[in-house]
Amino acid sequence: VDRYIKDYERVKFLVRRGIEPAQIQHMTGRGKSVIEQYIEIIEHYHPDNGND
């Protein structure tokens, strides 16, 4: 579970910085579908684009 939380926080950070999903995928080593799912969660729970 810790890995998923760390990955999510990293993706959220990168989205906040305006990094494109393909670049996030490359930077994190996570698959396209995982990044897409994280971005969906971010957009749903952080509609301000990941800013807390």
Side-chain angles (χ1 to χ4, degrees):
V1 173
D2 289 337
R3 186 183 99 203
Y4 295 110
I5 293 169
K6 288 178 185 180
D7 286 345
Y8 172 77
E9 291 298 328
R10 187 171 181 200
V11 170
K12 189 168 80 168
F13 174 82
L14 295 170
V15 166
R16 188 181 317 157
R17 297 292 182 275
I19 307 298
E20 294 295 320
Q23 290 176 303
I24 294 172
Q25 181 183 348
H26 178 73
M27 294 169 79
T28 62
R30 298 284 142 227
K32 180 180 178 181
S33 63
V34 173
I35 299 303
E36 289 172 348
Q37 289 174 349
Y38 283 152
I39 290 173
E40 285 182 28
I41 293 168
I42 291 165
E43 289 173 349
H44 185 267
Y45 290 102
H46 304 278
D48 56 351
N49 199 23
N51 295 320
D52 291 324

